[in-house]
Amino acid sequence: GGGAAAATPLLDYYTPQRAMAERRVERQLEEQLYEQLKGDAQIAGMSVWVDIRDPQVGEEFSTGDLGDLDSVHLDLRLQGEFADKLAFATAVRGILDQLDALGVRMDRISFTAEGNRVAYSLQVQDQFQLHMRTDLLEKQVVVHGGSVDEVD
C-alpha cells in the first residue's frame, strides 16, 4: 500500500501528455533559436531539452506557458578554430546577447568547441553569467586537450 501511494505522484508526473508537450516546446524553442541565431556562422549545432514540472499540461502548452519551475537547457556547439580562451569567450558573449533578446529563461546554456589542438567549454547557469563581461567569461572557460600556455 505504501509503495502504491508513493508511486501515484510519479505516475501523475510522467504522462504521455507531458512528454508530448515537452517535445512540442523543444521544437518551438529550436525554431525560435534557429531564427535568432541562423546568421551566426560559428554555430555548428544545438540541442534543446525541456523539463515541464506541471503534471496537468494540456495539448495547447507552448513556450509562453513555461513557468518558474520548468527547466530549459541549451547546448550549442561552435565550429572553427579559436586562438585562445578570450576568442572563445568573445564568441560566446555575442551569442548570449542574441539569446537574451529572445526573452526565454534558460536554466543552463552549454557552449563547446572542438578544434584541431584543443577544445573549449563553458556553462552559463545564472543571470550573473548570462550578463557577464567577456573578460570575466574568459576566466570561466575550460580548455580540454592542451595546456592554456600552448594556445595563449
Side-chain angles (χ1 to χ4, degrees), residues 3-139:
T8 300
L10 288 175
L11 293 175
D12 288 341
Y13 181 70
Y14 293 104
T15 64
Q17 294 82 7
R18 191 178 136 278
M20 290 186 320
E22 287 175 345
R23 298 301 82 72
R24 185 173 46 257
V25 171
E26 287 170 354
R27 285 192 305 276
Q28 290 171 350
L29 283 172
E30 285 172 359
E31 289 173 19
Q32 289 176 359
L33 292 166
Y34 175 76
E35 286 301 316
Q36 183 74 17
L37 301 172
K38 67 183 176 185
D40 193 323
Q42 290 184 304
I43 297 176
M46 77 174 156
S47 300
V48 178
W49 284 276
V50 173
D51 182 20
I52 298 171
R53 301 310 249 167
D54 183 356
Q56 304 300 321
V57 296
E59 291 183 19
E60 301 302 317
F61 194 95
S62 67
T63 56
D65 297 317
L66 290 169
D68 290 339
L69 299 178
D70 302 322
S71 297
V72 176
H73 295 192
L74 173 63
D75 290 340
L76 288 170
R77 294 173 304 286
L78 306 185
Q79 60 190 353
E81 293 293 324
F82 293 93
D84 53 22
K85 290 172 31 173
L86 180 58
F88 180 74
T90 300
V92 167
R93 177 74 264 149
I95 294 168
L96 287 173
D97 290 341
Q98 291 180 68
L99 291 174
D100 195 32
L102 271 179
V104 175
R105 183 189 53 78
M106 296 187 197
D107 298 282
R108 181 181 51 92
I109 307 169
S110 296
F111 296 89
T112 57
E114 293 185 26
N116 291 329
R117 294 182 0 198
V118 295
Y120 297 98
S121 65
L122 175 64
Q123 282 200 13
V124 175
Q125 298 184 17
D126 61 32
Q127 292 297 313
F128 290 104
Q129 289 178 319
L130 181 64
H131 298 100
M132 199 172 270
R133 292 187 333 247
T134 304
D135 61 319
L136 297 175
L137 279 175
E138 175 190 10
K139 295 175 191 289

